[in-house]
Amino acid sequence: MAWLKANAFVLSLFALYTVLLAYHAMEGRRRTRSVADYYVGGRAMGGVSLGLSFFATYSSTNSFVGFSGQAYSYGAPWLLLMPVAVVFSIMAWVVVAPRLRRFTKSLDSVTIPDFVGFRFGSDSARVLAALIVLCASFLYMTAVFKGIGNLLEVFLDIPYVAAILVVFVVVMLYTAVGGFVSVVRTDVVQGVVMIAAAVLLLMGTVTAAGGAESIDLVRDRPATRHLFRWDAAMPFPVLIGIVVAGTMKFVVEPRQLSRFYALEDERATRRGMWVSTLAFLFVYSLLLPVGLYARNIMPTGIDDTDLVVPTLVGSSGVFHPAAAAFLLVAMVAAAMSSLDSVLLVMASTCERDLVGMWRRRRSTEQSVLRETRWYVALFALITALIALNPPGQIVTLTAFSGSLYAACFFPTIVLGLHWRQGGGAAVTSSFVVGIAVLLGWKYLPAGATVHSVFPALLLSTLVYVLVAALTPRNAAAQHLFAGTGASAP
């Protein structure tokens, strides 16, 4: 009873938020009449909502808990993540979105692996792409679960296991019921909430640290002076690799690219680009310095930077209880806005590109929807169990997930949309080389000074180009390039 009384306000906010999720879930279910509705919103959604969704689905607890706290140990060089994120956001909307929207509509594609299979005429490439999506998604979702588990454990003083269970049940239910429409509608609300929370988080931290000028104390203090060197925590090329791996996902990650499937027209694409890019610019400018200012509040004693923001939010001397409650709910919202999208991508990939490929009988739309909802529940449960004993920190898991997508999907998506050449052999070869280099690079002498994403991306792209140039292209997909000005053979 004492616990309920002490947390009455935050629990009330959670209850209101849960009601909102339930409403969006039912609205999504009402508007879902086909597989395309459930997977990609019927390809008829506006740019403002999808731009906010593009921002919100990426900016989960990885951003509010992982990225915000990381400058505590990585120092000022970590702030470079903001301009890199802006560059990749623009690249995604300009280089990938227009053609991906048109190509996938023409192919009746609703997942990235089935686009790979259709575009390159290869079932083996499609299956391998699906397996990569599932593997990378498990890593990413584990990071998100860990972030929200740490946050609820510190703030509400509840067991980590109980926190994971609550998030699992809520996200699993509303995602399974409402599908893509529910996810995007919820993301819009969550995006607005996260923008307000970013302002509040930085203002409260800076005030508690002694004002904006207190950053000079961190720079001058002998114990923290190193945080303002380029090699504050590691060789600079390794840090840049982590930054690139974490943000290149805008261009290649299925949960981000699924927003492009749903765009209704070119005007929506332009609007989406402006909305999402400005949101990243504004919010990341606020979030990334938090860890540095936290050094004036908690100079030492935090080895796990994933606990920096939860500790700040849970400290009575930093935030007013009402502000802390709002921040907690906002960060839970941030987590859910990523978990729902990844769950939907995993479930649709499994149903359409793995199980669906081997069916001997034709399934009805209703049976496909029903099975996809069961896969949402299954993958949510598996990830929650993994998160009980996570294999790494938030930024580590996020960076490896991003590296896997970058090494495998960057040449396939970008070159596949803009170059006529290339078939199944080019794609599968690129996948295999990218994964091999990503896993083996650390055992080479340069592994300690250069992040594995760079050689993996370079070699996978070179292999794709070489094999594509030497093997026949997929003639069945060449109609996609008509009138686009794409590279001729």
Side-chain angles (χ1 to χ4, degrees):
M1 184 61 68
W3 181 86
L4 289 175
K5 184 176 180 180
N7 296 288
F9 182 66
V10 69
L11 293 176
S12 298
L13 289 179
F14 271 128
L16 289 173
Y17 184 68
T18 303
V19 169
L20 177 65
L21 293 180
Y23 170 75
H24 284 159
M26 297 312 298
E27 186 66 16
R29 186 178 181 87
R30 184 183 67 81
R31 293 178 55 182
T32 297
R33 310 227 183 269
S34 67
V35 171
D37 290 338
Y38 191 80
Y39 287 4
V40 293
R43 306 183 194 274
M45 305 191 78
V48 174
S49 59
L50 287 174
L52 276 172
S53 181
F54 188 88
F55 158 74
T57 196
Y58 180 84
S59 302
S60 66
T61 46
N62 291 4
S63 299
F64 277 83
V65 176
F67 290 175
S68 292
Q70 198 63 59
Y72 188 90
S73 63
Y74 282 9
W78 183 243
L79 305 184
L80 290 173
L81 189 142
M82 184 276 291
V84 176
V86 168
V87 168
F88 279 122
S89 175
I90 294 172
M91 182 178 179
W93 286 92
V94 173
V95 176
V96 177
R99 289 196 179 188
L100 187 64
R101 181 188 69 83
R102 189 171 64 79
F103 282 21
T104 53
K105 183 176 182 180
S106 176
L107 294 169
D108 194 27
S109 162
V110 292
T111 69
I112 289 299
D114 76 1
F115 166 72
V116 171
F118 294 149
R119 162 64 182 86
F120 297 98
S122 172
D123 285 343
S124 60
R126 178 178 180 177
V127 171
L128 185 53
L131 294 175
I132 292 168
V133 168
L134 293 183
C135 179
S137 296
F138 274 128
L139 292 172
Y140 181 82
M141 284 212 302
T142 299
V144 179
F145 266 110
K146 181 181 186 299
I148 199 61
N150 288 341
L151 192 65
L152 293 176
E153 180 183 30
V154 171
F155 189 87
L156 293 181
D157 193 28
I158 61 176
Y160 178 83
V161 174
I164 295 295
L165 178 63
V166 169
V167 176
F168 154 69
V169 171
V170 174
V171 175
M172 181 270 295
L173 286 175
Y174 89 79
T175 305
V177 171
F180 191 86
V181 174
S182 170
V183 166
V184 171
R185 287 172 64 94
T186 303
D187 282 351
V188 171
V189 176
Q190 290 164 336
V192 174
V193 169
M194 284 189 280
I195 291 171
V199 175
L200 186 60
L201 179 62
L202 181 64
M203 288 180 60
T205 303
V206 169
T207 300
E213 298 80 7
S214 66
I215 198 70
D216 294 334
L217 298 176
V218 183
R219 184 185 295 108
D220 297 336
R221 192 180 299 126
T224 54
R225 188 179 299 155
H226 70 284
L227 294 175
F228 291 84
R229 298 200 310 258
W230 289 114
D231 60 345
M234 62 191 70
F236 186 66
V238 177
L239 176 72
I240 289 297
I242 294 173
V243 169
V244 169
T247 52
M248 187 180 283
K249 294 192 293 184
F250 296 159
V251 183
V252 295
E253 190 172 14
R255 69 186 169 113
Q256 302 295 138
L257 300 184
S258 64
R259 271 67 193 153
F260 303 153
Y261 282 61
L263 290 162
E264 60 182 349
D265 53 30
E266 293 294 335
R267 181 181 298 178
T269 304
R270 291 191 294 272
R271 288 176 176 170
M273 179 193 71
W274 283 110
V275 170
S276 67
T277 302
L278 291 174
F280 280 120
L281 174 63
F282 181 70
V283 170
Y284 277 40
S285 296
L286 299 174
L287 291 182
L288 297 179
V290 166
L292 282 174
Y293 280 101
R295 280 285 188 170
N296 283 328
I297 303 171
M298 305 169 291
T300 59
I302 297 184
D303 297 323
D304 184 355
T305 56
D306 293 345
L307 296 177
V308 170
V309 171
T311 302
L312 287 173
V313 175
S315 300
S316 57
V318 179
F319 293 98
H320 185 276
F326 175 79
L327 283 172
L328 179 65
V329 174
M331 285 185 245
V332 171
M336 292 181 178
S337 67
S338 288
L339 290 174
D340 54 16
S341 297
V342 180
L343 278 175
L344 193 57
V345 164
M346 294 177 76
S348 59
T349 295
C350 184
E351 167 59 33
R352 187 170 176 93
D353 303 306
L354 293 177
V355 176
M357 282 190 63
W358 311 117
R359 280 200 186 93
R360 295 186 178 181
R361 62 180 177 81
R362 182 176 176 83
S363 299
T364 64
E365 295 243 329
Q366 290 306 310
S367 67
V368 170
L369 289 174
R370 182 172 59 253
E371 291 173 17
T372 303
R373 288 185 168 108
W374 279 113
Y375 287 129
V376 168
L378 174 64
F379 290 133
L381 176 61
I382 293 173
T383 310
L385 293 175
I386 296 173
L388 296 180
N389 187 23
Q393 289 188 326
I394 289 175
V395 172
T396 303
L397 293 171
T398 302
F400 187 80
S401 171
S403 298
L404 188 58
Y405 278 129
C408 294
F409 284 171
F410 186 85
T412 299
I413 298 299
V414 176
L415 295 181
L417 290 172
H418 292 271
W419 189 32
R420 294 173 183 265
Q421 205 68 25
V427 175
T428 53
S429 300
S430 176
F431 285 169
V432 171
V433 169
I435 294 170
V437 175
L438 200 62
L439 295 177
W441 183 254
K442 65 181 178 181
Y443 299 107
L444 299 178
T449 55
V450 178
H451 195 279
S452 59
V453 70
F454 294 122
L457 177 59
L458 175 63
L459 291 176
S460 67
T461 302
L462 289 175
V463 167
Y464 178 96
V465 171
L466 180 63
V467 176
L470 297 176
T471 56
R473 64 193 183 195
N474 175 32
Q478 295 309 303
H479 69 282
L480 297 171
F481 293 92
T484 64
S487 173

